[in-house]
Amino acid sequence: MANNEELFKKIISHAKEYGFIFPSSEIYDGMAAVYDYGQWGVELKNNIRSYWWKAMTQLHENIVGIDSAIFMHPTIWKASGHVDAFNDPLIDNKDSKKRYRADVLIEDHIAKIEDKINKEIEKAAKRFGESFNKEQFVTTNPRVLENLSKINDINAVYSSAMQANDLAAIKKLIEDLGIVCPISGTKNWTDVRQFNLMFSTKVGSVSEEADTIYLRPETAQGIFVNYLNVQKTGRMKIPFGIAQTGKAFRNEIVARQFIFRMREFEQMEMQYFVRPGEELKWFEYWKNERIKWHLSLGIASDKYRFHDHEKLAHYANAATDIEFNFPFGFKELEGIHSRTDFDLKRHQEFSGKKLQYFDPDINESYVPYVIETSIGLDRMFLAVFSNAYCEEILEDGSQRTVLRLPNILAPVKAAVLPLVKKDGMPEKAREIMNKLKYDFNLIYEEKDAIGKRYRRQDAIGTPYCITVDSQTLEDDSITVRERNTMQQERIPLSNIATYLQEHINHLTL
Ligand code: GAP
């Protein structure tokens, strides 16, 4: 098996070769951290979005959706704290002239120490075989303990420096850890400074007089400023939620890892408005609901883990990340935050408008507390896509690349294939297409030998291939080939719609 870096490269080139993701503006040499979704990519992305949207709005009677504008009043970003504090700490290497995120340099250093720990564990697991007790090994092995304590020390210094906005202390930490620039190999660093991640532009016809506005860096604020509109017009009672999906923009300094960190990306966010004092109960509820949603896709549970935040942002009283094991290791996929009443209170203050809710059950008015679930659609795409990518050696020694996508997310649900391009088979196949195409996204293919056509469908993750052969013309039966097992079964043509319905359309939480 390829190592993870090689595997990741293969996944990226597969995404391009099979029409899922292209570098943006490719004929002009591309743009860093911006990507375009191709013909199958857009279908997969739409399916992930719809799976999330249905789980949020259709399966929860008290959650509704909105679609707020990307441009918003600039004071919103003052109130939310983004103008003053949505920053990343930057550092430049004076020799290579390369720019880095100081926190990422430190994170990468920690990741190297974690690698050492994992290697120790792997070695020991091999040595002890069946009798290996990982828990015991990790808590007693001196080398592992030494490395764990190094990580804790680094985290402690880093967190307190970040909390105090002490940029000199962050630079000192980088120097003390002996971190070198990967390009020049030197430790010749500039001071660390803060860099605001918001993109700004001007609105109005005369640029000097025009107002500066921002491209939203998160969709959440569009929900906060509409919460009373929705509550009143929808006669919503607390607890209730508002969901939104849409583009967000961040001027990321470190743009790498494909669609993991982009400058233009899409978020799927939900704000759940609750009675003050009940927020931690709902925080636990949403942790559970969200992990259930992920696992409902059939992805192995050991691909996920929670990472609770030890140091909380000043407005949060609980926060956790759902991390996914990407080809480059466990990284944040989704955030679940208990944001208190911070955002609504700030909007109340900056707008001068009351944002209170009258709770008829307790006869009291208050500013609700908020639990947020926030997941990057592109990151979810990468999680699903990389998890599905599989290279297999078949019994006859040939190789196939298959995307074992969850059926419900697959861009194409079935390919309709006449065995040969004659004897009335194409006509029969077209007839099937015309019947099924209103309910399923299908593809029709008659070019090349059937085996080659199966491989092409495997490569884009099509769960079923429906083949029309000479027997179809005699008794109206077809063969259905399943992508993962490659098993074929012959069923009456009249059963195919139900067959696909049963095997594809399910969303149960
Ligand atoms: N409203 C809360 C919020 O925006 P966040 O942790 O900054 O929180 C939420 O972002 C999610 O958005 C992340 O867990 C990640 O999945 C996604 N995300 C954030 N920045 C991203 C980027 N530059 N590229 C792709 N996805 C990103």
Side-chain angles (χ1 to χ4, degrees):
M1 191 47 165
N3 72 30
N4 283 354
E5 210 169 303
E6 255 177 71
L7 174 68
F8 190 36
K9 279 190 191 147
K10 284 184 181 187
I11 289 169
I12 296 171
S13 66
H14 189 85
K16 181 169 180 221
E17 191 182 338
Y18 285 92
F20 284 88
I21 297 174
F22 308 125
S24 164
S25 321
E26 195 183 8
I27 59 169
Y28 292 95
D29 297 332
M31 265 192 85
V34 189
Y35 289 90
D36 296 339
Y37 285 82
Q39 65 277 26
W40 304 132
V42 69
E43 297 289 346
L44 175 54
K45 195 176 171 201
N46 286 344
N47 292 344
I48 296 173
R49 190 192 298 105
S50 142
Y51 194 74
W52 181 90
W53 187 261
K54 281 189 182 159
M56 281 296 174
T57 62
Q58 216 166 296
L59 300 192
H60 293 97
E61 283 175 31
N62 60 348
I63 300 182
V64 291
I66 60 162
D67 182 17
S68 69
I70 287 173
F71 292 151
M72 299 202 277
H73 194 287
T75 310
I76 286 176
W77 304 111
K78 264 271 172 211
S80 67
H82 284 81
V83 171
D84 297 321
F86 194 51
N87 300 324
D88 273 344
L90 298 180
I91 190 164
D92 291 277
N93 183 270
K94 290 183 197 161
D95 299 319
S96 67
K97 310 268 182 281
K98 285 274 168 203
R99 178 161 293 177
Y100 299 92
R101 257 174 68 178
D103 56 330
V104 171
L105 286 179
I106 295 166
E107 262 174 32
D108 285 352
H109 185 84
I110 292 176
K112 280 188 195 145
I113 304 176
E114 279 172 345
D115 273 354
K116 280 190 195 160
I117 296 176
N118 289 335
K119 284 205 180 107
E120 289 289 345
I121 296 172
E122 266 171 39
K123 254 186 1 205
K126 266 197 200 136
R127 204 167 57 237
F128 295 112
E130 295 267 295
S131 62
F132 180 60
N133 180 336
K134 185 173 163 189
E135 179 88 28
Q136 191 190 358
F137 181 77
V138 170
T139 47
T140 53
N141 179 275
R143 274 187 300 274
V144 171
L145 289 176
E146 190 192 327
N147 280 321
L148 281 175
S149 123
K150 271 188 198 163
I151 293 176
N152 286 340
D153 292 348
I154 298 170
N155 274 332
V157 176
Y158 174 65
S159 305
S160 74
M162 285 299 276
Q163 209 81 354
N165 199 18
D166 185 348
L167 301 181
I170 293 175
K171 180 180 180 188
K172 185 166 180 307
L173 180 61
I174 290 173
E175 287 171 340
D176 290 350
L177 294 173
I179 295 175
V180 297
C181 164
I183 310 285
S184 66
T186 71
K187 298 178 206 159
N188 195 6
W189 297 110
T190 62
D191 286 342
V192 177
R193 57 211 183 284
Q194 292 288 19
F195 174 80
N196 192 285
L197 296 185
M198 281 199 296
F199 285 104
S200 63
T201 186
K202 299 276 183 192
V203 68
S205 54
V206 187
S207 67
E208 299 93 80
E209 287 174 20
D211 276 333
T212 297
I213 57 163
Y214 301 97
L215 297 186
R216 65 180 178 198
E218 61 170 16
T219 61
Q221 297 303 324
I223 297 180
F224 288 124
V225 298
N226 275 299
Y227 118 90
L228 263 193
N229 283 336
V230 174
Q231 189 273 320
K232 285 189 174 141
T233 56
R235 300 191 301 141
M236 313 292 288
K237 275 186 72 180
I238 267 180
F240 71 91
I242 304 178
Q244 161 153 250
T245 70
K247 285 283 172 97
F249 304 83
R250 295 182 189 179
N251 196 0
E252 299 283 358
I253 308 156
V254 180
R256 47 170 202 186
Q257 288 163 328
F258 194 36
I259 56 170
F260 181 80
R261 198 179 301 286
M262 300 158 89
R263 295 201 166 110
E264 175 181 342
F265 59 101
E266 195 165 336
Q267 286 186 318
M268 306 192 285
E269 299 200 295
M270 194 278 301
Q271 314 294 132
Y272 202 67
F273 300 90
V274 304
R275 199 179 280 165
E278 294 190 350
E279 69 277 9
L280 294 181
K281 172 181 93 183
W282 289 112
F283 175 72
E284 287 305 319
Y285 171 86
W286 279 106
K287 265 177 87 167
N288 190 38
E289 280 292 289
R290 293 305 303 145
I291 198 70
K292 254 179 19 197
W293 179 85
H294 286 282
L295 297 178
S296 72
L297 286 168
I299 296 174
S301 59
D302 64 1
K303 286 274 183 172
Y304 292 94
R305 72 180 185 197
F306 281 111
H307 173 242
D308 293 335
H309 293 205
E310 281 136 32
K311 290 271 178 230
L312 295 167
H314 58 282
Y315 53 78
N317 64 3
T320 194
D321 293 336
I322 294 180
E323 294 188 339
F324 186 78
N325 195 1
F326 290 98
F328 38 84
F330 273 100
K331 294 271 176 207
E332 176 187 341
L333 170 60
E334 170 159 8
I336 301 165
H337 315 119
S338 174
R339 295 181 71 128
T340 67
D341 55 0
F342 173 82
D343 301 85
L344 290 179
K345 277 242 171 93
R346 294 275 291 185
H347 287 307
Q348 199 168 246
E349 189 189 317
F350 278 71
S351 69
K353 308 276 172 7
K354 271 209 159 151
L355 295 180
Q356 286 192 332
Y357 166 82
F358 175 72
D359 191 330
D361 294 341
I362 53 169
N363 231 356
E364 245 181 56
S365 289
Y366 52 80
V367 174
Y369 271 43
V370 172
I371 306 299
E372 164 181 79
T373 73
S374 175
I375 175 167
L377 175 50
D378 312 85
R379 256 184 219 186
M380 187 61 196
F381 185 111
L382 183 58
V384 165
F385 194 85
S386 57
N387 184 67
Y389 181 89
C390 188
E391 290 172 4
E392 289 176 356
I393 308 284
L394 304 179
E395 271 174 17
D396 64 1
S398 66
Q399 195 183 325
R400 74 162 181 160
T401 302
V402 55
L403 281 187
R404 291 168 173 267
L405 292 170
N407 289 353
I408 198 163
L409 301 183
V412 177
K413 301 305 183 211
V416 184
L417 315 171
L419 187 62
V420 290
K421 222 178 350 174
K422 57 182 185 188
D423 301 336
M425 290 182 211
E427 290 76 9
K428 188 74 187 171
R430 286 273 177 215
E431 221 180 86
I432 298 174
M433 282 285 291
N434 286 336
K435 266 202 200 128
L436 296 178
K437 71 182 178 190
Y438 295 96
D439 296 317
F440 304 99
N441 198 18
L442 303 177
I443 203 168
Y444 173 86
E445 271 217 309
E446 57 179 28
K447 197 168 170 285
D448 294 324
I450 193 78
K452 239 184 174 178
R453 281 181 273 165
Y454 286 157
R455 289 289 169 276
R456 277 205 293 270
Q457 296 309 315
D458 289 344
I460 64 166
T462 306
Y464 296 101
C465 286
I466 300 167
T467 306
V468 171
D469 55 16
S470 52
Q471 200 177 322
T472 313
L473 305 176
E474 283 165 23
D475 64 6
D476 251 5
S477 68
I478 42 157
T479 64
V480 186
R481 171 191 181 269
E482 199 272 333
R483 177 197 64 207
N484 294 357
T485 58
M486 295 183 291
Q487 296 288 317
Q488 304 200 17
E489 60 178 315
R490 187 168 280 278
I491 63 166
L493 182 50
S494 54
N495 289 359
I496 185 64
T498 323
Y499 183 97
L500 291 179
Q501 209 68 262
E502 277 172 3
H503 287 79
I504 285 163
N505 291 332
H506 60 90
L507 162 61
T508 42
L509 286 185

